[in-house]
Every structure is written in structure tokens, then in C-alpha cells.
Amino acid sequence: MAVILIVDDDPQLRQSFEKILKIEKHTVYSLPNAESGIDFVKQNRVDLMFIDVRLPGINGIEAFDIIHRIDSKLPVIIMTAFGTTETAIEATKKGAFDYLLKPFDIPEVLKIIDQAIQAARFGRSKVEMDVSPETDAPDALIGRSILMQEVYKSIGRVAPTDATVLIQGESGTGKELVARALYQHSKRSEKPFLVINCVAIPDTLLESELFGYEKGAFTGAINRRIGKIEQAHHGTIFLDEIGDMPFNIQSKILRLLQERSIERLGGRLPIPVDVRIIAATNRNLEEAVSLGSFREDLYYRLNVVSLRLPPLRDRKEDVTLLTHYFLSKYSREMNIQNHGITSNGLKTLAQYDWPGNVRELANFLKKALIFNRGGQLDQDDVIQALDYQRNSSSQPNVINEENTEKIITQWIRNQLRTSKDENLFDLLIEHFTKMVLRESLMICNGNRTQTAKLLCISRPTLLSKIDKYNIQIEASVS
Ligand SMILES: Nc1ncnc2c1ncn2[C@@H]1O[C@H](COP(=O)(O)OP(=O)(O)OP(=O)(O)O)[C@@H](O)[C@H]1O
Ligand SMILES: [Mg+2]
């Protein structure tokens, strides 16, 4: 978990922060003034920092400038009360991660912590390339096939230039890892790296998230907001899933690439920005262009350098290396003994086509480790698990699932018929959520970290759900 530093002169606020963040299993340090905060950052590893604007002595904004020079990648969140918001907004222009208006609510704080930790991991944790499967680097590009060697070479060639790069490849082929490797090997590696996932953000918010807005630009725009592109000035912005970007925003990105400037929503003046763009998509952009859903001119502008990541089925010789890598990585992360895999088990894995590519293989092995606590993974274990995976993905109505679905449908129908509760929908969802949580916790012997990994959600999200639904399961370890 993360090391978080809080700097605020209000002891009550520091105390409540400490309480919340300790429940989340973060290590929290809190200090009453900027001077001691700066010293602390100089001497200790900090993953994330909150700082108040109004402080005795050096104020939070001046302190941010100093801290940003010491460690440009440390995400700093400025806490502001009424009257100092404008300066906090200015700080985001200079690279502060975000600002929070006081008084804040806990879910908002937790959300921003999650985002900042992810952003820090993106920028800080190095993506190793072409390393041994025993590496303990948290992120690595694994594979020695000729196709992967080509990818490493391209990264080496393109990274140091300022060229716009378009990374294409099926889902799960490693586009995000490659984008991070490009950034880390670039001249801008000490400058910000911001990620925008064009699918994860609703269309209505994407434009303001990217370009920011002026006060009064639309109803609800109470303050000016600096967009991600402006925040990434001198750095790199990764536009993930660009194939899904709405048409009107595509035009604005085209303008950014042509004119190297943006306009905030409701703003009148173009603002010059110097950002390098890395974009990725699992869609076939040539096809999208011919269908008219992607602008041709933007496609050519983005495609200055194109990196195509091979699907795993075209580099099956890498399956063995990847398998050893993931077994050792997950056994370390989840604290489960790795009994390895037999050569027949490996052969069977290499025969499968992996339509979900490396991500599918990784998830498969994560589950194999959790469910198969006995000995080495053998051909039979692999065949059984793969059969189940194949059936459940290609024909969702195999006998077992069909029966289960019938039973559940019957139960829902009964509830719909008999319940008089006004919140029926919420109750039904709650019922299923509890079942899923209980079952996953049972499988993982109550270990929260493993359960979060199994469900592919973050640990804070899992903990807040356990808390919300009051799930009582004894934890063996946490
Ligand atoms: N060559 C590789 N070596 C090790 N791990 C890899 C490799 N390629 C992908 N992965 C892992 O597989 C998972 C999926 O990778 P990533 O998120 O980069 O895929 P993607 O191409 O961005 O997929 P999508 O289009 O679905 O977003 C991640 O956990 C990543 O760490
Ligand atoms: Mg991706």
C-alpha cells in the first residue's frame, strides 16, 4: 500500500485523514507545516502528498513548487478552502495532480488517492524489457520471439524522438505497457505522463477532462478547470482507446496536433501547449476511417509512427516464458506457493489460441494458482480449466450455466412478484454483490489482497464493499 504524507495545520483534519487512510492500510505521515513537509520529502519515499494552501510560514503553493523540483513525479493534491481555489487551480497548471475543495467527503478522497496511485505507478514504476521471467520488476514486457524483438527495437528507435506514436494491437497485447516504456525511454521521462482512457470517461465529460474549461462555460462550471492536456505541458499524454473517441473531440485533437495549441471550453484564446501524444487502440482504424467513424486526417497525423503489437497466437514460442513469469509474479504478489507447471501442461497452453492474448493468459494463471494449491500444474489441470474457459466464453449456455440461470431467473421473478420494497432493484443487486463477495473471500481464505486480485478490483474498492455490505469473514492474513 502507499505512503501518504498530509501537510495541514489543522490537527483535527490530520487526525481524521490518518484514521481513514490507516483503515485503507496506507502508511500515513502528517505534519503541521510546509517546511517539515519539504524536509520529509527530501528524506523519505512518499507515494502521494496532500497539502493545504494556507499554512503558517511557506504556503502550500510555494511548497508545491519546491517539492515539484525535488520530485517532479510525486503526485501532489492541493487542499483548498473557499478563497484560495484560484491559486490551487493555477497549481494544477504547473503539475499538481489535482485539488480538493474543503470540506471533502471520504469517497472523493479515496477516489483521488486511487487515481493518483495509479498515475504514479504509470510514471514511476519502470517497465523492464526483454528480462528473465524471474524478474521482480512489477511491470515487464516479456518475450524473446522475433516479433517481440521487433517491438523492443521499435521502442528503442522511436522513444527518444518527439514523434506522435500510434500503438495498434488486439486487446491484451500489451499496448499500455508499450506506451509506458516509450515514455520512460523518452527525453520527457522526467516530465508528466498523463493517461486518458477515451472509453472510461463518458463522452460528455471527455472534452472538459482533456481541454478544461473557463468559469461559467456551462451550467455547473463554478470554477475554471485546467484540462489534462494543459497539465501535461512539456510532458506526454497517452490517449488510450482513441478509436472510440467521439468525432467532435477528434477534430480538437487534430487541431492540437496541427497548431500545438488548445482552447479551454468557453475560452477565447488559444493556449500553446507542448505535449507528445502517444495513442493506442484495439480497433482497426483503417476500417473505422473507411466506415466514416474515425477522421482520416487525424488518422494520418497520429500514424506518424505506427507500432503494431502481435497477437499471442502469432508468437506462441513466448507462452512458456510468459507462463513462468506470471506464475512467479502472482505467487509473490499473492503469497501463494508456486509449484510450477509440467512440460505437458506448458505444451497444452501453447496449443490454445488465446483470443484475449497476454491478459487472458495472465488471468488464467492467476486463477490456476488460487484454485490449484496442490502440486505442479499438469496437462489435466490445464485442459480442464481451458475447457471451462472455452465453454463459458464461446457458448454461454452450457448445461450447468443454463440451469443456474434458470434458478436465478426464477428467484428474481418471485422477488419481483412478491416484494413490496421500494428499493427492489438496489436490494437485488445488493443480494448478488454479497454472494459474489462471500464466495470470493471464501475461495481466498478471507485474504483481502487475493480476493481483490481475483475479482480484478482494487483493494480499497473491495474493502469499501465489505464494509458497506457488512460481510463477516475471518481473514487468515490480509
Ligand atoms: N509482453 C508482455 N509481457 C508481460 N506482460 C504483458 C505483456 N503484454 C501484456 N502484458 C500484460 O497483460 C495485461 C494486458 O496488457 P495491456 O493492458 O498493456 O493490454 P492492451 O493492449 O492495452 O489491452 P486493451 O486493448 O484491452 O486495453 C497486463 O496485465 C500486462 O501487464
Ligand atoms: Mg489498454
Side-chain angles (χ1 to χ4, degrees):
M1 292 285 101
V3 179
I4 302 178
L5 174 64
I6 318 285
V7 179
D8 199 302
D9 53 344
D10 174 357
Q12 249 178 341
L13 183 136
R14 293 203 305 271
Q15 247 174 23
S16 53
F17 246 95
E18 278 179 24
K19 221 161 90 193
I20 303 163
L21 299 185
K22 278 187 180 148
I23 298 173
E24 294 288 321
K25 303 263 187 264
H26 294 300
T27 310
V28 192
Y29 297 95
S30 71
L31 296 165
N33 56 51
E35 289 80 353
S36 53
I38 296 167
D39 280 347
F40 192 90
V41 171
K42 277 186 193 157
Q43 283 158 23
N44 299 279
R45 193 201 105 193
V46 177
D47 297 315
L48 164 63
M49 175 173 181
F50 287 85
I51 189 163
D52 191 22
V53 178
R54 279 204 188 121
L55 289 166
I58 301 182
N59 73 39
I61 305 290
E62 291 160 357
F64 162 70
D65 284 339
I66 299 170
I67 287 161
H68 197 55
R69 278 198 296 270
I70 300 171
D71 180 355
S72 64
K73 291 184 185 172
L74 170 63
V76 178
I77 294 149
I78 314 272
M79 301 189 283
T80 139
F82 185 72
T84 53
T85 320
E86 197 51 35
T87 44
I89 296 170
E90 281 299 314
T92 59
K93 214 161 124 184
K94 291 192 269 173
F97 183 76
D98 211 334
Y99 65 92
L100 268 177
L101 274 170
K102 285 182 184 179
F104 22 74
D105 63 350
I106 297 170
E108 193 187 2
V109 174
L110 294 180
K111 193 174 121 207
I112 216 164
I113 290 177
D114 251 13
Q115 287 173 346
I117 291 174
Q118 202 217 11
R121 198 176 68 91
F122 262 59
R124 284 181 167 187
S125 147
K126 213 161 160 37
V127 177
E128 301 286 345
M129 282 194 279
D130 196 16
V131 282
S132 125
E134 276 81 40
T135 176
D136 56 6
D139 295 297
L141 274 165
I142 301 287
R144 303 233 167 96
S145 57
I146 294 177
L147 290 174
M148 279 311 284
Q149 301 284 356
E150 285 300 322
V151 171
Y152 305 140
K153 268 191 228 154
S154 306
I155 294 174
R157 258 197 315 265
V158 178
T161 71
D162 258 349
T164 305
V165 185
L166 177 64
I167 309 168
Q168 290 183 273
E170 289 176 17
S171 184
T173 46
K175 296 185 291 296
E176 187 184 300
L177 283 179
V178 169
R180 287 168 55 195
L182 282 169
Y183 157 73
Q184 286 164 0
H185 290 87
S186 77
K187 286 180 292 197
R188 296 173 180 242
S189 62
E190 290 308 313
K191 301 288 178 196
F193 179 66
L194 297 185
V195 180
I196 283 281
N197 187 316
C198 304
V199 179
I201 303 173
D203 286 2
T204 43
L205 293 184
L206 185 59
E207 191 172 2
S208 56
E209 192 71 18
L210 281 167
F211 298 94
Y213 50 79
E214 294 294 345
K215 185 174 178 171
F218 48 83
T219 338
I222 311 165
N223 282 305
R224 181 150 57 102
R225 184 167 183 93
I226 308 298
K228 285 277 187 281
I229 296 175
E230 219 177 313
Q231 260 189 303
H233 192 44
H234 295 313
T236 308
I237 192 153
F238 175 37
L239 300 175
D240 202 2
E241 318 280 5
I242 197 162
D244 296 82
M245 182 179 267
F247 219 70
N248 64 322
I249 305 182
Q250 289 177 27
S251 326
K252 292 195 153 194
I253 296 291
L254 177 69
R255 236 189 41 221
L256 165 67
L257 285 170
Q258 283 169 340
E259 290 163 27
R260 300 280 156 195
S261 66
I262 57 143
E263 263 170 43
R264 296 186 195 132
L265 270 78
R268 298 213 178 87
L269 290 177
I271 301 164
V273 275
D274 161 31
V275 284
R276 179 191 198 178
I277 292 189
I278 299 176
T281 180
N282 53 27
R283 292 195 186 271
N284 181 335
L285 277 195
E286 291 88 343
E287 201 176 283
V289 167
S290 65
L291 290 172
S293 63
F294 201 84
R295 288 187 67 123
E296 189 173 13
D297 41 11
L298 177 59
Y299 172 64
Y300 286 116
R301 277 272 171 180
L302 287 173
N303 205 12
V304 178
V305 176
S306 166
L307 254 167
R308 276 182 200 270
L309 299 191
L312 187 52
R313 64 183 168 280
D314 290 352
R315 53 176 190 109
K316 287 229 173 125
E317 60 273 42
D318 285 337
V319 169
T320 298
L321 218 55
L322 282 162
T323 301
H324 291 312
Y325 167 69
F326 286 120
L327 286 177
S328 111
K329 174 182 161 104
Y330 291 136
S331 67
R332 207 172 41 241
E333 278 179 14
M334 300 194 286
N335 210 3
I336 295 177
Q337 201 181 343
N338 172 14
H339 297 282
I341 179 163
T342 63
S343 57
N344 281 336
L346 279 171
K347 265 190 213 143
T348 316
L349 285 180
Q351 278 156 10
Y352 182 60
D353 257 0
W354 303 107
N357 296 296
V358 184
R359 180 182 291 117
E360 187 183 0
L361 176 64
N363 286 339
F364 176 86
L365 294 166
K366 190 192 316 176
K367 290 194 179 142
L369 264 180
I370 293 174
F371 286 101
N372 193 304
R373 286 166 186 260
Q376 250 182 333
L377 280 174
D378 196 9
Q379 191 171 23
D380 289 345
D381 306 319
V382 174
I383 292 175
Q384 224 177 359
L386 277 177
D387 267 351
Y388 181 75
Q389 185 156 311
R390 225 175 277 155
N391 285 336
S392 48
S393 59
S394 60
Q395 2 162 334
N397 287 331
V398 288
I399 292 302
N400 274 344
E401 293 201 4
E402 197 178 304
N403 286 342
T404 322
E405 203 174 312
K406 267 191 194 151
I407 295 167
I408 297 174
T409 313
Q410 194 57 48
W411 182 82
I412 296 175
R413 241 179 242 161
N414 280 342
Q415 294 292 318
L416 292 175
R417 221 180 279 140
T418 55
S419 174
K420 301 214 164 31
D421 208 297
E422 280 183 2
N423 296 325
L424 184 57
F425 178 74
D426 292 338
L427 282 176
L428 292 176
I429 299 298
E430 182 177 329
H431 189 84
F432 283 109
T433 311
K434 281 179 173 168
M435 278 171 64
V436 172
L437 290 173
R438 272 198 214 105
E439 193 53 31
S440 333
L441 279 159
M442 290 269 286
I443 289 169
C444 299
N445 292 329
N447 183 312
R448 270 83 165 145
T449 308
Q450 281 179 23
T451 309
K453 291 232 151 81
L454 177 65
L455 290 172
C456 299
I457 56 178
S458 72
R459 201 168 173 283
T461 308
L462 175 73
L463 293 180
S464 71
K465 286 190 197 299
I466 292 176
D467 192 39
K468 181 172 169 193
Y469 297 116
N470 194 16
I471 310 279
Q472 316 262 346
I473 298 249
E474 273 308 298
S476 50
V477 243
S478 192

